[in-house]
Amino acid sequence: MTLDINWRRWRLVAFGGFIVSAILFVAIFANVVAPYSPYDLDVANMLAPPSGAHLLGTDELGRDVLSRVIYAARISMMVAVLASMVGLIFGTIIGSVAAYFGGWVDMVLMRFMEVLFSFPAILLAVVLMAALGTSVVNSMIAIGIIFIPGFARLARAAAIDVLRKQYVESARAVGMSNTRILVREILPNIFAPLLVEAAVAFSYAVLLESALSFLGLGAQPPEPSWGNMLNVGRGFMANAAWLSLAPGMAIFLTVLGFNTLGDGLRDAFDPHLRD
Amino acid sequence: MSEPLIDIKNVSKEFGGGLFSRLAPFKAVSDISLSVARNQTMGIVGESGSGKSTLLRMVLRLIQPTSGEITINGQNVWALKGGQLKAFRRQVQPVFQNPASSFNPRHSIQSILTAPLEVHGIGTPAERRDRAVELLERVGLDPAMRHRLPHQFSGGQKQRIAIARAVILGPTVVLADEPTSALDVSVQAQVLKLFSDIKDDLGLTTIFVSHNLAVIRQVSDRVAVMQHGRLVEEGPVDDIFDNPGNDYTRNLIAAVPDPAFARRNRAGTAVHPVSPA
Amino acid sequence: MQDIRKHAQGAAGPTLSIRNLTVSFAGRRQLVQAVKNVSLDIWPGEIVGIIGESGSGKTMTALSAIRLLPHKAQVEGTIHLGERDVLSYTEKQMRALRGDRIAMIPQDAMQSLNPSMRIGRQVGEPIELHRKDSASRIKTRVRELLASVKIGDTDQRMQEYPHQFSGGMQQRAMIAMGLALDPELIIADEPTTALDVTVQAEVLRLLREIRDNTGTSIAFITHELGIVAELCDWVYVMNKGEVVEQGCVDQIFNDPQADYTRMLLDATPSIHGPRDEVPNV
């Protein structure tokens, strides 16, 4: 057993997990699941409402909206996974190092984190994108950087708690090196809350990525992304609402799925709620 | 008394009061000198805030003294480097108080016991496992339980494992900080018995810190009484307990509720309202 | 034995009378009994020790008298506080009793005091809750109470917050709060475990004094034989949910009947060195 889980709380986890794995499945096998190519134009069928041939209708260039939403899931998931990973990895390293060494190391690292934290997320993302240049990879990095302070704070708080435990003192007393203590004694014990945070960060990453591409800073047309689809759909709200409803629903479902999964995991890991 | 193995000379520790701190430094330990002879147990007794645990951690090289010198076997503990420091870690081991936080909850008992050997590069994995098995048997636990996690053991069993971990590197000095304070009395009695048996078998020199005067009396050869970071008095355990030379020690001893009280004083005195007399 | 206690008291009946109390919890497979068929009495003005190790059911027994057991607990038997059949009381009736007729002194005073409320206000809270007294009369009473638990400089102290009090002072404040409405019974659940021995000695002396002055009954839950020896009049020894032995302190310590009591006595280290050196009376 590596993680103590309260399986009584499994229902939330199962519900969130189901939505999340469905979306991940669709994203990974987009080329199999999608009925059409997301780029194929069908000039005869522009702005066609949902029908048997095009379940979610077509856009202003006659491309199948369902297929575009499915392919867009790929980009969203990729950005969200990698951005959360960037945040998780760097945040955990910074937070646990700050907690372990304390003193000026802690001071410098955490003040820097607070500076990052003090900017509104979307503003920081826009600034970072402007500095890095517009691309999917860069939006991933930008969103990842936004997540670092949150993970770092959480990792630091959890690590400080673990540092008070006598087994860390015992590890010092047998002569374990700092790196070994961090990896063997501390990291495994702060992992649970960080994993929960990662699930929540994930849904936030989906929102941020959509916001960035909505603003034209993320995925570039013709590459489909939920954000840029929303942006285009905005112009056709009155006569072709499905153009914006489809990506909107996709964002909604994804965020719901990850938040439910995160909440469920939080409860499952929380020793106070455990029987 | 044979030559001292542990020698603490004029050791002080101040906390806080750094360059930017507005608070006055707090003197946790002030000017303590103590020495412990080979194969002896020094009991350190004191109430909360007496500095007894801080002193122990300075000997363990976990907290650095502000001033003074601690030597073990003639070597200055805080001047050790490299190979000497590694040798010191093998020689001096702790047993801590809280069974609940003594072990990393995610490691099996076997992994907890073999980790010190791994760190010091002793033996092959098979040899380390054999050593863990042997020690579990020595402390009275079934070696078949070695794959279990710490939370599957009772408080008393955990303290047995803590003792096994402390001696697995073959130390000469074991420093115990309230090792039985969290245990029920019946379990405490067993763990104390195990502790002194192992101490005798391996010829250990130990310092035993506790707030419990009765426990200190049972395990120690000499006792040091601490209050507010200072050494109040030190001497052979029977002398100190039977003829305390200091008011603080006298008060401390008088304050201990003692089961023998009923036997000696209460029998027949009939001071309480429900006495059959 | 029971007759001796009753006779000596010359009282109409016990303050607390528990008969055949069984407390059980639904476990995974079967019902787990935390308290098994326990009967005990506490007479007016008596300090009764309930002693046992962890898992003995001592706390569960005491908590059932004030009906503060976890909701999942299934309780059988009868509990009488004076004439009141406590187990038949509604939650609302119980609330009226708690803090008024029965008071509880907890193990950890720091955890039990509200860190953001001044001591004076907190000690007066039971009066505020249960009586409709004027603020000035409550204040006078709080002053009296603090003086009775030996907290000097009362006007200054009433204005302070819990963190400004030492551990022993916090526990005294909790005792003052418990005494606020002259309860018939005080349940003290290991109230000195978190304290240093010298402070513990003062608190124990205080409890004895309070009993002598007010005639309240005290149920003292502890795992320490020494405390029972010095403080209590009558003792119930519990092990694994059952009362294994009861008796007056002299008898329990000088002539223990149950094997468990004997084991407990042998296991407790004495400050006077190995047991055979203790002078036997």
Side-chain angles (χ1 to χ4, degrees), chain C residues 1-278:
Chain C
M1 270 313 172
Q2 294 287 348
D3 289 344
I4 293 171
R5 293 169 78 191
K6 190 175 170 185
H7 183 71
Q9 283 308 126
T15 311
L16 180 73
S17 174
I18 294 177
R19 285 289 166 273
N20 307 89
L21 177 75
T22 296
V23 178
S24 35
F25 294 90
R28 286 239 170 93
R29 303 239 172 76
Q30 78 264 28
L31 225 52
V32 181
Q33 292 191 332
V35 177
K36 296 172 198 158
N37 199 28
V38 163
S39 298
L40 63 82
D41 290 314
I42 299 177
W43 291 84
E46 214 178 26
I47 303 182
V48 170
I50 304 176
I51 185 168
E53 298 186 287
S54 44
S56 63
K58 57 187 192 296
T59 299
M60 288 290 167
T61 304
L63 286 181
S64 43
I66 194 167
R67 287 257 310 269
L68 282 177
L69 288 172
H71 290 293
K72 289 176 289 180
Q74 297 164 30
V75 183
E76 289 161 68
T78 58
I79 300 175
H80 280 90
L81 183 75
E83 299 293 305
R84 309 174 195 88
D85 179 2
V86 171
L87 290 183
S88 73
Y89 270 37
T90 63
E91 184 51 34
K92 199 179 163 198
Q93 285 172 305
M94 273 321 291
R95 273 201 297 271
L97 279 187
R98 290 184 202 128
D100 188 338
R101 302 292 79 217
I102 324 176
M104 179 104 186
I105 301 173
Q107 189 174 120
D108 190 343
M110 188 64 198
Q111 301 285 325
S112 310
L113 289 163
N114 180 343
S116 59
M117 199 191 278
R118 291 178 202 277
I119 292 290
R121 174 94 195 278
Q122 282 192 71
V123 171
E125 227 181 4
I127 315 177
E128 217 178 295
L129 268 170
H130 294 283
R131 305 271 191 281
K132 289 191 179 82
D133 262 356
S134 69
S136 71
R137 282 186 50 189
I138 293 179
K139 212 171 163 187
T140 317
R141 176 75 180 135
V142 169
R143 220 174 267 132
E144 259 172 56
L145 285 166
L146 289 179
S148 76
V149 296
K150 313 267 162 61
I151 292 180
D153 205 0
T154 43
D155 285 306
Q156 165 67 25
R157 289 299 189 183
M158 281 166 72
Q159 292 305 309
E160 292 183 353
Y161 290 95
H163 72 268
Q164 293 167 286
F165 275 42
S166 67
M169 295 253 290
Q170 287 170 0
Q171 197 55 277
R172 285 157 189 277
M174 285 306 298
I175 294 173
M177 202 192 298
L179 290 174
L181 295 166
D182 293 318
E184 292 160 32
L185 175 67
I186 294 174
I187 296 174
D189 185 7
E190 308 235 18
T192 59
T193 307
L195 305 177
D196 279 331
V197 274
T198 47
V199 183
Q200 162 171 289
E202 289 162 20
V203 170
L204 295 180
R205 205 176 306 137
L206 177 67
L207 282 173
R208 228 183 146 83
E209 230 181 87
I210 285 168
R211 189 280 305 271
D212 292 345
N213 295 338
T214 64
T216 180
S217 308
I218 300 175
F220 197 98
I221 301 160
T222 182
H223 64 275
E224 259 189 79
L225 280 165
I227 293 181
V228 169
E230 296 203 350
L231 180 74
C232 301
D233 305 308
W234 196 266
V235 190
Y236 289 88
V237 182
M238 289 189 69
N239 181 35
K240 296 182 180 149
E242 286 173 289
V243 170
V244 294
E245 178 164 9
Q246 62 160 314
C248 67
V249 168
D250 306 333
Q251 185 222 309
I252 295 282
F253 284 86
N254 293 313
D255 186 20
Q257 300 300 308
D259 289 342
Y260 179 76
T261 314
R262 267 195 291 275
M263 186 280 290
L264 213 54
L265 274 164
D266 286 341
T268 306
S270 167
I271 191 164
H272 300 288
R275 194 151 305 278
D276 44 78
E277 288 173 18
V278 177

Side-chain angles (χ1 to χ4, degrees), chain A residues 21-43:
Chain A
S21 27
I23 292 167
L24 283 175
F25 179 84
V26 165
I28 292 165
F29 298 103
N31 46 345
V32 184
V33 181
Y36 301 92
S37 152
Y39 307 114
D40 280 355
L41 310 183
D42 184 354
V43 222

Side-chain angles (χ1 to χ4, degrees), chain A residues 1-4 164-177 180 184-186 188-190 192, chain B residues 57 62 89 92-94 96-98 101-107 111-112 115-116 118-120 149 151 165:
Chain A
M1 193 176 72
T2 49
L3 299 171
D4 304 319
R164 286 200 207 101
K165 308 281 185 186
Q166 281 162 353
Y167 55 81
V168 177
E169 263 190 339
S170 298
R172 281 199 182 122
V174 298
M176 263 191 210
S177 66
R180 197 171 178 133
R184 188 186 144 93
E185 311 293 339
I186 297 177
N189 290 299
I190 63 174
Chain B
R57 278 169 173 70
L62 292 174
R89 290 302 185 201
V92 181
Q93 280 296 306
F96 289 120
Q97 168 182 12
N98 190 343
S101 85
S102 288
F103 306 110
N104 188 327
R106 307 212 183 274
H107 291 307
S111 156
I112 285 165
E118 255 168 66
V119 169
H120 289 271
L149 293 170
H151 77 259
R165 173 174 61 183

Side-chain angles (χ1 to χ4, degrees), chain A residues 84 87-88 91-92 95 147-156 194 197-198 201:
Chain A
S84 310
L88 178 69
T92 306
F147 287 156
I148 292 175
F151 280 109
R153 273 188 176 184
L154 195 68
R156 180 176 173 274
L194 288 168
E197 176 76 3

